[in-house]
Amino acid sequence: MSTIGDELHNGVQVIAFSPTEPLLAISDVNGWRNGNKAPTAVRLFDVKDPRHPREVGHIDTDSVELAFSPDGRTLLASVGDVADKTTGRAAWSRLDSWDVTDPAHPTRLWTHRLPTGISSLNTAFRPDGKLLALYLGDGTLTLWPVAHDRLAGKPAATTQIGQYSSPLSFTPDGSRLALISTVISEGDDYTRPEIWDVSDPRDPTRESYLAEDSPGELYSVIFSPDGHRLAVARGSNAGGVDLWSITPTPLVNDLCESVGDPISRKQWRQYLPGRPYDPPCGTGG
């Protein structure tokens, strides 16, 4: 094991691995401006030999959100401004994209200005890299086409979901997007994981949602590599990870394993007359 520490001055807010190269991006910032001992930066480390990581480049910026594009060519970094002069806490004013194909000389590609007073933001590239999802702390989800490493034209769609911003996760085929939203029920606020159909980025639609919980209890969501299950991380009083089946086949299999008894031919004829006998849990008498 090795530790990257002496090269950092302020702490570590967030880290991101390149999906294509042994490159690790580290945000050298603690999130509170008054507590930073040195100028903030995103530091890039070559970790090909994990026993001897070495810094190969840096970006002079203040960021608590980092995300590589699927091809590893670009790195997204949020940039903050001081919102509270007493605490030094930052609000995020823009999103910058950097070309890191040569980590020693990162080059800024584009900048997207954010609305005033955004306290948090989360981003995710569709697996093919041709769509960027941006989820702001005011609950706004924006889907933006990407072409030639740049935002292309205007957003495909902008949708107001709720006063919340959570990590985002695309299914491997890019057709669905998972997030956590805030809903109000009988005067109380709750958070819940939601799955959105984004197969047509111009018309995102809420496909389904899972069990609700108190605000702050749900931290993160991520799809399994086959896209059939969703993991939901819980914190605080209900710490743990929930695993949800979100496609019919695994769900039917789980039900069949727990229920066991198949539908009999007599029951099939009674409720589905004239249709070929094809029970989901096997054959019966």
Side-chain angles (χ1 to χ4, degrees):
M1 184 188 77
S2 62
T3 301
I4 299 173
D6 294 341
E7 302 88 340
L8 305 175
H9 306 291
N10 304 308
V12 178
Q13 185 70 28
V14 67
I15 58 179
F17 261 117
S18 166
T20 59
E21 303 291 337
L23 186 67
L24 177 66
I26 300 177
S27 177
D28 185 3
V29 55
N30 62 19
W32 297 81
R33 287 292 185 88
N34 291 349
N36 290 326
K37 300 177 182 179
T40 58
V42 173
R43 304 192 182 277
L44 304 173
F45 287 84
D46 183 333
V47 292
K48 185 176 182 179
D49 180 356
R51 297 168 300 177
H52 303 288
R54 60 188 182 90
E55 186 172 352
V56 293
H58 71 278
I59 301 170
D60 293 324
T61 190
D62 183 350
S63 179
V64 295
E65 167 71 13
L66 296 174
F68 278 95
S69 60
D71 61 9
R73 292 174 53 87
T74 62
L75 176 68
L76 297 185
S78 63
V79 179
D81 293 326
V82 174
D84 188 326
K85 294 183 178 179
T86 301
T87 63
R89 192 169 188 175
W92 309 115
S93 60
R94 71 177 193 264
L95 186 66
D96 289 342
S97 174
W98 295 83
D99 183 337
V100 291
T101 50
D102 179 3
H105 302 94
T107 303
R108 185 155 59 188
L109 295 172
W110 52 262
T111 292
H112 173 59
R113 286 283 174 183
L114 303 174
T116 302
I118 294 298
S119 59
S120 61
L121 67 103
N122 289 273
T123 61
F125 282 98
R126 197 170 63 186
D128 64 2
K130 295 181 180 180
L131 188 73
L132 176 67
L134 177 63
Y135 193 18
L136 302 182
D138 64 358
T140 302
L141 174 68
T142 300
L143 301 177
W144 211 312
V146 177
H148 307 295
D149 299 326
R150 298 176 183 274
L151 297 179
K154 297 181 179 180
T158 298
T159 303
Q160 187 68 34
I161 295 178
Q163 297 295 318
Y164 199 82
S165 177
S166 77
L168 301 165
S169 179
F170 277 99
T171 51
D173 66 1
S175 65
R176 291 191 280 182
L177 180 70
L179 51 81
I180 298 171
S181 73
T182 298
V183 295
I184 299 177
S185 177
E186 297 180 355
D188 293 325
D189 292 349
Y190 296 92
T191 55
R192 69 186 183 193
E194 295 187 353
I195 299 172
W196 284 69
D197 182 343
V198 292
S199 54
D200 180 356
R202 298 165 300 180
D203 185 27
T205 56
R206 184 185 291 108
E207 182 178 285
S208 59
Y209 57 86
L210 308 179
E212 298 172 357
D213 212 326
S214 300
E217 297 295 333
L218 303 181
Y219 285 176
S220 184
V221 291
I222 188 169
F223 280 109
S224 61
D226 61 8
H228 293 324
R229 297 183 185 275
L230 182 71
V232 181
R234 295 178 178 271
S236 190
N237 297 328
V241 177
D242 296 338
L243 296 175
W244 294 84
S245 294
I246 59 169
T247 54
T249 299
L251 183 59
V252 169
N253 291 340
D254 291 345
L255 288 172
C256 290
E257 288 178 5
S258 61
V259 175
D261 293 335
I263 301 173
S264 69
R265 292 181 181 275
K266 180 178 180 180
Q267 292 171 323
W268 187 274
R269 288 194 298 270
Q270 178 181 356
Y271 296 106
L272 296 168
R275 301 192 64 175
Y277 182 57
D278 186 21
C281 299
T283 59

